[in-house]
Amino acid sequence: MNTHELRWWRRRSVIAVALLLVVAVALSALLLGRHEDDRGRMAVGDSLQGDYSLSDATYEHDLSFQLPGSVLSVSVAVGQRASSDETGGSVEAKAPRDGQLVHVTWSATRSSSDGAPDTGDHASRLAVRSKTTSVVVDRAVKAPAQGSSTAGDDDRNQALVAVPGDAADVQLTVTFEGRTQSVSLVSGERRLGAFASLYRPRPASAQVSQTQDQPADERSGYWWFCTAEARLMTRAPYVDGLGWAPAGREWVVVTGAGVHVADTPAVRRADGRVAEYELDGTPKVAVTIDGDHAVKSTRAVRTHQDGTGTTRDYVFSIRTGAAATVDVRAVVPVKRGKGADRRAPATTTVRVSKTLSLPPAVDPTPRVSRTGSSAQGSNGTRVGDRIEGVTAFSGQLTEQRGYLPVAFGELPITIGTGSTIGDPDASGGEVHAPDGASLVQVSWDPNPVYDGPAVWPGSSPRDRRDPGTDLTLVTGGTATRWPRRSPWPTAQRRSPSSWRVTPPTPGWRAASAVARSAPSPGRHPPAR
């Protein structure tokens, strides 16, 4: 090797060493930068207890979950960076790559409804779910006992969770005694499952429909001082000791059913003489709902200091949402008291009863009947769907009003259009229109009044009958019709010169244009 070649190899070695040094420095800087970037980054599935604030929250909301015997309130925020100063120094946390940080604050309170059934002391489980990852933040959520208080800032009720995916993938789930409900944070879609009946609007209370506290024969001469009792009827999907009601069924809890017997349960008056009666044995009480007996009852409880009064709580199984009538019948044996008129019967029987009726109820889960096909909205809504159980709030619709002629007057009609209805926190949730389409609400409040003669010349009874009206929504080649007659009760005659039609329930349609309505053929009253 000559001198020239030797110099070339030496120069090449220096260049190689320099290149290696440059690569090493660049790699070190890259690794150092990545290390700094990963400082505080949480892994998918990790969770931290405590109060964290998100500096870049893309979603913040307050939610509530209805549970048997309690309500779980949750505040949730989603973002990429979080910090906490509780430990004396600032703690920084970052979302996993291609993931999100979810901060959750929760607390449970006892249901305040009177007559609520016994749901036991069971705990619920709260979890944050995104894609295939589910992180449990509390395995034993319990509402405090009535009258107690807990600190709202307790760290045990706050957590920061790292999950994969986007904010739209994040859900909250709550599990109680093997059943789970969930809500999607962004879309607001709720899956209520077995909990659906707990989200019904405040139900109408049971009403007394019949009471028998005196002899049916007013000429018997007896006066009774006994009453059958039934305080409340409450629907419930879950009752402690029985668990969840079977599919398609729900529990009805009848509270305080029994009989009250006064110290003098009966008096007989005849021919100016009075005979007082006293209790002769144990009263017998039968409690049924529509003829069926209870599946469970509690121990008898004395309810009155004067006389004899005992009641029980009864649990019945009925079809979900069905109307129910509880019948309480008591048989009270009595005997003639000492010193009473001996011409009065020595013994007799007091038979009293009370009936409570509970109106039907409908679960608030939106019901969508699939009658069309197109691209789906964010909640699966398609053009042609009829949606029920969702309320439109102020500002969500653009409304137009008009009138349509019908057989016995004019039909006031309102058409509202919009892209979103409902509220993710409301019982029915939130519904979005598909792309390129609109949600159309057609509501009608018919109050037609015909002031002409009750019978016009040449008319027959058939002519004078309201023929009913077909209300059809026609949009972009899609026609959707409300069934003929079914939403329209027969016109009711109010006076010889006026008629009124009872208003039906409005309905929702997903559509892409406006609506038209046409009355069905029928003879109209002549113009005056």
Side-chain angles (χ1 to χ4, degrees), residues 106-133:
W106 65 97
S107 62
T109 56
R110 291 283 181 185
S111 297
S112 58
S113 58
D114 189 20
D118 181 16
T119 56
D121 192 29
H122 305 289
S124 302
R125 185 175 73 245
L126 174 64
V128 179
R129 184 170 63 197
S130 181
K131 294 188 174 181
T132 59
T133 300

PDB file of all heavy atoms in Angstrom, residues 106-133:
ATOM      1  N   TRP A 106     -68.041  10.957  40.620  1.00  0.00           N
ATOM      2  CA  TRP A 106     -69.346  10.322  40.789  1.00  0.00           C
ATOM      3  C   TRP A 106     -69.766  10.315  42.261  1.00  0.00           C
ATOM      4  O   TRP A 106     -68.944  10.355  43.175  1.00  0.00           O
ATOM      5  CB  TRP A 106     -69.330   8.894  40.247  1.00  0.00           C
ATOM      6  CG  TRP A 106     -68.417   7.953  40.977  1.00  0.00           C
ATOM      7  CD1 TRP A 106     -68.747   7.071  41.970  1.00  0.00           C
ATOM      8  CD2 TRP A 106     -67.009   7.789  40.768  1.00  0.00           C
ATOM      9  NE1 TRP A 106     -67.649   6.380  42.389  1.00  0.00           N
ATOM     10  CE2 TRP A 106     -66.547   6.793  41.674  1.00  0.00           C
ATOM     11  CE3 TRP A 106     -66.070   8.385  39.915  1.00  0.00           C
ATOM     12  CZ2 TRP A 106     -65.228   6.392  41.733  1.00  0.00           C
ATOM     13  CZ3 TRP A 106     -64.746   7.983  39.976  1.00  0.00           C
ATOM     14  CH2 TRP A 106     -64.344   6.994  40.871  1.00  0.00           C
ATOM     15  N   SER A 107     -71.082  10.259  42.446  1.00  0.00           N
ATOM     16  CA  SER A 107     -71.664  10.137  43.780  1.00  0.00           C
ATOM     17  C   SER A 107     -73.051   9.532  43.634  1.00  0.00           C
ATOM     18  O   SER A 107     -73.713   9.694  42.602  1.00  0.00           O
ATOM     19  CB  SER A 107     -71.758  11.504  44.472  1.00  0.00           C
ATOM     20  OG  SER A 107     -72.608  12.373  43.744  1.00  0.00           O
ATOM     21  N   ALA A 108     -73.496   8.830  44.663  1.00  0.00           N
ATOM     22  CA  ALA A 108     -74.799   8.155  44.647  1.00  0.00           C
ATOM     23  C   ALA A 108     -75.670   8.682  45.768  1.00  0.00           C
ATOM     24  O   ALA A 108     -75.185   8.988  46.859  1.00  0.00           O
ATOM     25  CB  ALA A 108     -74.624   6.646  44.782  1.00  0.00           C
ATOM     26  N   THR A 109     -76.969   8.806  45.498  1.00  0.00           N
ATOM     27  CA  THR A 109     -77.935   9.241  46.496  1.00  0.00           C
ATOM     28  C   THR A 109     -79.119   8.285  46.504  1.00  0.00           C
ATOM     29  O   THR A 109     -79.436   7.662  45.484  1.00  0.00           O
ATOM     30  CB  THR A 109     -78.443  10.665  46.201  1.00  0.00           C
ATOM     31  OG1 THR A 109     -78.979  10.708  44.876  1.00  0.00           O
ATOM     32  CG2 THR A 109     -77.311  11.661  46.319  1.00  0.00           C
ATOM     33  N   ARG A 110     -79.746   8.174  47.651  1.00  0.00           N
ATOM     34  CA  ARG A 110     -80.917   7.316  47.774  1.00  0.00           C
ATOM     35  C   ARG A 110     -82.108   7.928  47.050  1.00  0.00           C
ATOM     36  O   ARG A 110     -82.268   9.148  47.017  1.00  0.00           O
ATOM     37  CB  ARG A 110     -81.284   7.124  49.249  1.00  0.00           C
ATOM     38  CG  ARG A 110     -80.277   6.300  50.024  1.00  0.00           C
ATOM     39  CD  ARG A 110     -80.431   4.825  49.732  1.00  0.00           C
ATOM     40  NE  ARG A 110     -79.475   4.031  50.486  1.00  0.00           N
ATOM     41  CZ  ARG A 110     -79.323   2.731  50.354  1.00  0.00           C
ATOM     42  NH1 ARG A 110     -80.080   2.081  49.470  1.00  0.00           N
ATOM     43  NH2 ARG A 110     -78.426   2.068  51.056  1.00  0.00           N
ATOM     44  N   SER A 111     -82.925   7.069  46.455  1.00  0.00           N
ATOM     45  CA  SER A 111     -84.159   7.544  45.844  1.00  0.00           C
ATOM     46  C   SER A 111     -85.081   8.060  46.932  1.00  0.00           C
ATOM     47  O   SER A 111     -85.192   7.463  48.000  1.00  0.00           O
ATOM     48  CB  SER A 111     -84.845   6.412  45.069  1.00  0.00           C
ATOM     49  OG  SER A 111     -84.032   5.973  44.003  1.00  0.00           O
ATOM     50  N   SER A 112     -85.741   9.172  46.639  1.00  0.00           N
ATOM     51  CA  SER A 112     -86.590   9.800  47.644  1.00  0.00           C
ATOM     52  C   SER A 112     -88.067   9.474  47.464  1.00  0.00           C
ATOM     53  O   SER A 112     -88.899   9.977  48.208  1.00  0.00           O
ATOM     54  CB  SER A 112     -86.426  11.325  47.581  1.00  0.00           C
ATOM     55  OG  SER A 112     -86.744  11.804  46.284  1.00  0.00           O
ATOM     56  N   SER A 113     -88.403   8.650  46.480  1.00  0.00           N
ATOM     57  CA  SER A 113     -89.814   8.377  46.225  1.00  0.00           C
ATOM     58  C   SER A 113     -90.429   7.604  47.385  1.00  0.00           C
ATOM     59  O   SER A 113     -89.860   6.653  47.905  1.00  0.00           O
ATOM     60  CB  SER A 113     -89.969   7.580  44.927  1.00  0.00           C
ATOM     61  OG  SER A 113     -89.234   6.376  45.002  1.00  0.00           O
ATOM     62  N   ASP A 114     -91.619   8.044  47.774  1.00  0.00           N
ATOM     63  CA  ASP A 114     -92.330   7.410  48.872  1.00  0.00           C
ATOM     64  C   ASP A 114     -92.800   6.028  48.443  1.00  0.00           C
ATOM     65  O   ASP A 114     -93.274   5.827  47.327  1.00  0.00           O
ATOM     66  CB  ASP A 114     -93.529   8.264  49.268  1.00  0.00           C
ATOM     67  CG  ASP A 114     -94.185   7.769  50.546  1.00  0.00           C
ATOM     68  OD1 ASP A 114     -93.523   7.043  51.305  1.00  0.00           O
ATOM     69  OD2 ASP A 114     -95.356   8.106  50.772  1.00  0.00           O
ATOM     70  N   GLY A 115     -92.652   5.063  49.321  1.00  0.00           N
ATOM     71  CA  GLY A 115     -93.103   3.714  49.012  1.00  0.00           C
ATOM     72  C   GLY A 115     -92.182   2.937  48.111  1.00  0.00           C
ATOM     73  O   GLY A 115     -92.590   1.928  47.534  1.00  0.00           O
ATOM     74  N   ALA A 116     -90.919   3.401  47.942  1.00  0.00           N
ATOM     75  CA  ALA A 116     -89.983   2.689  47.079  1.00  0.00           C
ATOM     76  C   ALA A 116     -89.744   1.285  47.629  1.00  0.00           C
ATOM     77  O   ALA A 116     -89.614   1.095  48.840  1.00  0.00           O
ATOM     78  CB  ALA A 116     -88.666   3.451  46.990  1.00  0.00           C
ATOM     79  N   PRO A 117     -89.693   0.280  46.761  1.00  0.00           N
ATOM     80  CA  PRO A 117     -89.501  -1.088  47.235  1.00  0.00           C
ATOM     81  C   PRO A 117     -88.112  -1.304  47.811  1.00  0.00           C
ATOM     82  O   PRO A 117     -87.176  -0.545  47.523  1.00  0.00           O
ATOM     83  CB  PRO A 117     -89.708  -1.925  45.961  1.00  0.00           C
ATOM     84  CG  PRO A 117     -89.382  -0.990  44.847  1.00  0.00           C
ATOM     85  CD  PRO A 117     -89.824   0.361  45.298  1.00  0.00           C
ATOM     86  N   ASP A 118     -87.982  -2.331  48.609  1.00  0.00           N
ATOM     87  CA  ASP A 118     -86.702  -2.668  49.222  1.00  0.00           C
ATOM     88  C   ASP A 118     -85.775  -3.242  48.158  1.00  0.00           C
ATOM     89  O   ASP A 118     -86.080  -4.259  47.534  1.00  0.00           O
ATOM     90  CB  ASP A 118     -86.919  -3.690  50.342  1.00  0.00           C
ATOM     91  CG  ASP A 118     -85.608  -4.060  51.040  1.00  0.00           C
ATOM     92  OD1 ASP A 118     -84.623  -3.322  50.874  1.00  0.00           O
ATOM     93  OD2 ASP A 118     -85.583  -5.102  51.724  1.00  0.00           O
ATOM     94  N   THR A 119     -84.653  -2.573  47.928  1.00  0.00           N
ATOM     95  CA  THR A 119     -83.690  -3.045  46.934  1.00  0.00           C
ATOM     96  C   THR A 119     -82.422  -3.590  47.579  1.00  0.00           C
ATOM     97  O   THR A 119     -81.470  -3.926  46.888  1.00  0.00           O
ATOM     98  CB  THR A 119     -83.314  -1.905  45.969  1.00  0.00           C
ATOM     99  OG1 THR A 119     -82.819  -0.790  46.731  1.00  0.00           O
ATOM    100  CG2 THR A 119     -84.532  -1.456  45.177  1.00  0.00           C
ATOM    101  N   GLY A 120     -82.395  -3.676  48.904  1.00  0.00           N
ATOM    102  CA  GLY A 120     -81.236  -4.225  49.584  1.00  0.00           C
ATOM    103  C   GLY A 120     -80.084  -3.253  49.631  1.00  0.00           C
ATOM    104  O   GLY A 120     -80.202  -2.076  49.288  1.00  0.00           O
ATOM    105  N   ASP A 121     -78.933  -3.747  50.045  1.00  0.00           N
ATOM    106  CA  ASP A 121     -77.740  -2.919  50.195  1.00  0.00           C
ATOM    107  C   ASP A 121     -76.693  -3.334  49.173  1.00  0.00           C
ATOM    108  O   ASP A 121     -75.517  -3.469  49.475  1.00  0.00           O
ATOM    109  CB  ASP A 121     -77.187  -3.062  51.623  1.00  0.00           C
ATOM    110  CG  ASP A 121     -76.132  -2.008  51.923  1.00  0.00           C
ATOM    111  OD1 ASP A 121     -76.210  -0.923  51.328  1.00  0.00           O
ATOM    112  OD2 ASP A 121     -75.228  -2.289  52.734  1.00  0.00           O
ATOM    113  N   HIS A 122     -77.133  -3.554  47.956  1.00  0.00           N
ATOM    114  CA  HIS A 122     -76.232  -4.033  46.910  1.00  0.00           C
ATOM    115  C   HIS A 122     -75.447  -2.885  46.295  1.00  0.00           C
ATOM    116  O   HIS A 122     -75.957  -1.764  46.161  1.00  0.00           O
ATOM    117  CB  HIS A 122     -77.020  -4.766  45.831  1.00  0.00           C
ATOM    118  CG  HIS A 122     -77.859  -5.889  46.365  1.00  0.00           C
ATOM    119  ND1 HIS A 122     -77.315  -7.059  46.828  1.00  0.00           N
ATOM    120  CD2 HIS A 122     -79.203  -5.999  46.526  1.00  0.00           C
ATOM    121  CE1 HIS A 122     -78.284  -7.857  47.248  1.00  0.00           C
ATOM    122  NE2 HIS A 122     -79.442  -7.234  47.081  1.00  0.00           N
ATOM    123  N   ALA A 123     -74.224  -3.162  45.875  1.00  0.00           N
ATOM    124  CA  ALA A 123     -73.357  -2.153  45.272  1.00  0.00           C
ATOM    125  C   ALA A 123     -73.444  -2.212  43.751  1.00  0.00           C
ATOM    126  O   ALA A 123     -73.790  -3.240  43.162  1.00  0.00           O
ATOM    127  CB  ALA A 123     -71.909  -2.370  45.720  1.00  0.00           C
ATOM    128  N   SER A 124     -73.125  -1.086  43.122  1.00  0.00           N
ATOM    129  CA  SER A 124     -73.051  -0.999  41.663  1.00  0.00           C
ATOM    130  C   SER A 124     -71.594  -0.877  41.237  1.00  0.00           C
ATOM    131  O   SER A 124     -70.721  -0.509  42.041  1.00  0.00           O
ATOM    132  CB  SER A 124     -73.843   0.209  41.151  1.00  0.00           C
ATOM    133  OG  SER A 124     -75.187   0.130  41.555  1.00  0.00           O
ATOM    134  N   ARG A 125     -71.326  -1.176  39.967  1.00  0.00           N
ATOM    135  CA  ARG A 125     -69.977  -1.057  39.431  1.00  0.00           C
ATOM    136  C   ARG A 125     -69.976  -0.044  38.298  1.00  0.00           C
ATOM    137  O   ARG A 125     -70.755  -0.158  37.350  1.00  0.00           O
ATOM    138  CB  ARG A 125     -69.475  -2.409  38.910  1.00  0.00           C
ATOM    139  CG  ARG A 125     -68.006  -2.359  38.437  1.00  0.00           C
ATOM    140  CD  ARG A 125     -67.491  -3.717  38.041  1.00  0.00           C
ATOM    141  NE  ARG A 125     -68.049  -4.184  36.781  1.00  0.00           N
ATOM    142  CZ  ARG A 125     -68.841  -5.233  36.657  1.00  0.00           C
ATOM    143  NH1 ARG A 125     -69.199  -5.926  37.735  1.00  0.00           N
ATOM    144  NH2 ARG A 125     -69.314  -5.603  35.481  1.00  0.00           N
ATOM    145  N   LEU A 126     -69.100   0.956  38.398  1.00  0.00           N
ATOM    146  CA  LEU A 126     -68.973   2.008  37.394  1.00  0.00           C
ATOM    147  C   LEU A 126     -67.697   1.790  36.607  1.00  0.00           C
ATOM    148  O   LEU A 126     -66.625   1.594  37.187  1.00  0.00           O
ATOM    149  CB  LEU A 126     -68.964   3.381  38.062  1.00  0.00           C
ATOM    150  CG  LEU A 126     -68.701   4.594  37.166  1.00  0.00           C
ATOM    151  CD1 LEU A 126     -69.802   4.760  36.140  1.00  0.00           C
ATOM    152  CD2 LEU A 126     -68.564   5.865  38.020  1.00  0.00           C
ATOM    153  N   ALA A 127     -67.796   1.845  35.272  1.00  0.00           N
ATOM    154  CA  ALA A 127     -66.629   1.605  34.421  1.00  0.00           C
ATOM    155  C   ALA A 127     -66.640   2.558  33.234  1.00  0.00           C
ATOM    156  O   ALA A 127     -67.692   3.048  32.812  1.00  0.00           O
ATOM    157  CB  ALA A 127     -66.606   0.158  33.933  1.00  0.00           C
ATOM    158  N   VAL A 128     -65.449   2.830  32.714  1.00  0.00           N
ATOM    159  CA  VAL A 128     -65.263   3.596  31.484  1.00  0.00           C
ATOM    160  C   VAL A 128     -64.846   2.615  30.400  1.00  0.00           C
ATOM    161  O   VAL A 128     -63.887   1.842  30.577  1.00  0.00           O
ATOM    162  CB  VAL A 128     -64.200   4.696  31.652  1.00  0.00           C
ATOM    163  CG1 VAL A 128     -64.017   5.464  30.353  1.00  0.00           C
ATOM    164  CG2 VAL A 128     -64.572   5.641  32.787  1.00  0.00           C
ATOM    165  N   ARG A 129     -65.551   2.648  29.275  1.00  0.00           N
ATOM    166  CA  ARG A 129     -65.272   1.686  28.202  1.00  0.00           C
ATOM    167  C   ARG A 129     -65.019   2.421  26.899  1.00  0.00           C
ATOM    168  O   ARG A 129     -65.699   3.389  26.566  1.00  0.00           O
ATOM    169  CB  ARG A 129     -66.451   0.725  28.024  1.00  0.00           C
ATOM    170  CG  ARG A 129     -66.203  -0.365  26.982  1.00  0.00           C
ATOM    171  CD  ARG A 129     -67.295  -1.409  27.041  1.00  0.00           C
ATOM    172  NE  ARG A 129     -68.608  -0.862  26.704  1.00  0.00           N
ATOM    173  CZ  ARG A 129     -69.749  -1.470  26.989  1.00  0.00           C
ATOM    174  NH1 ARG A 129     -69.753  -2.609  27.671  1.00  0.00           N
ATOM    175  NH2 ARG A 129     -70.893  -0.917  26.627  1.00  0.00           N
ATOM    176  N   SER A 130     -64.021   1.948  26.149  1.00  0.00           N
ATOM    177  CA  SER A 130     -63.734   2.478  24.826  1.00  0.00           C
ATOM    178  C   SER A 130     -63.170   1.347  23.973  1.00  0.00           C
ATOM    179  O   SER A 130     -62.181   0.706  24.358  1.00  0.00           O
ATOM    180  CB  SER A 130     -62.743   3.638  24.903  1.00  0.00           C
ATOM    181  OG  SER A 130     -62.489   4.167  23.617  1.00  0.00           O
ATOM    182  N   LYS A 131     -63.833   1.097  22.860  1.00  0.00           N
ATOM    183  CA  LYS A 131     -63.474  -0.027  22.001  1.00  0.00           C
ATOM    184  C   LYS A 131     -63.479  -1.317  22.819  1.00  0.00           C
ATOM    185  O   LYS A 131     -64.489  -1.669  23.399  1.00  0.00           O
ATOM    186  CB  LYS A 131     -62.143   0.236  21.309  1.00  0.00           C
ATOM    187  CG  LYS A 131     -62.212   1.400  20.309  1.00  0.00           C
ATOM    188  CD  LYS A 131     -60.947   1.535  19.492  1.00  0.00           C
ATOM    189  CE  LYS A 131     -61.129   2.606  18.414  1.00  0.00           C
ATOM    190  NZ  LYS A 131     -59.936   2.766  17.568  1.00  0.00           N
ATOM    191  N   THR A 132     -62.349  -2.015  22.883  1.00  0.00           N
ATOM    192  CA  THR A 132     -62.340  -3.294  23.612  1.00  0.00           C
ATOM    193  C   THR A 132     -61.798  -3.165  25.028  1.00  0.00           C
ATOM    194  O   THR A 132     -61.654  -4.166  25.725  1.00  0.00           O
ATOM    195  CB  THR A 132     -61.486  -4.320  22.838  1.00  0.00           C
ATOM    196  OG1 THR A 132     -60.148  -3.823  22.702  1.00  0.00           O
ATOM    197  CG2 THR A 132     -62.081  -4.581  21.461  1.00  0.00           C
ATOM    198  N   THR A 133     -61.511  -1.940  25.459  1.00  0.00           N
ATOM    199  CA  THR A 133     -60.941  -1.718  26.784  1.00  0.00           C
ATOM    200  C   THR A 133     -62.008  -1.204  27.743  1.00  0.00           C
ATOM    201  O   THR A 133     -62.739  -0.265  27.429  1.00  0.00           O
ATOM    202  CB  THR A 133     -59.786  -0.704  26.717  1.00  0.00           C
ATOM    203  OG1 THR A 133     -58.761  -1.207  25.865  1.00  0.00           O
ATOM    204  CG2 THR A 133     -59.205  -0.459  28.101  1.00  0.00           C
TER     205      THR A 133
END
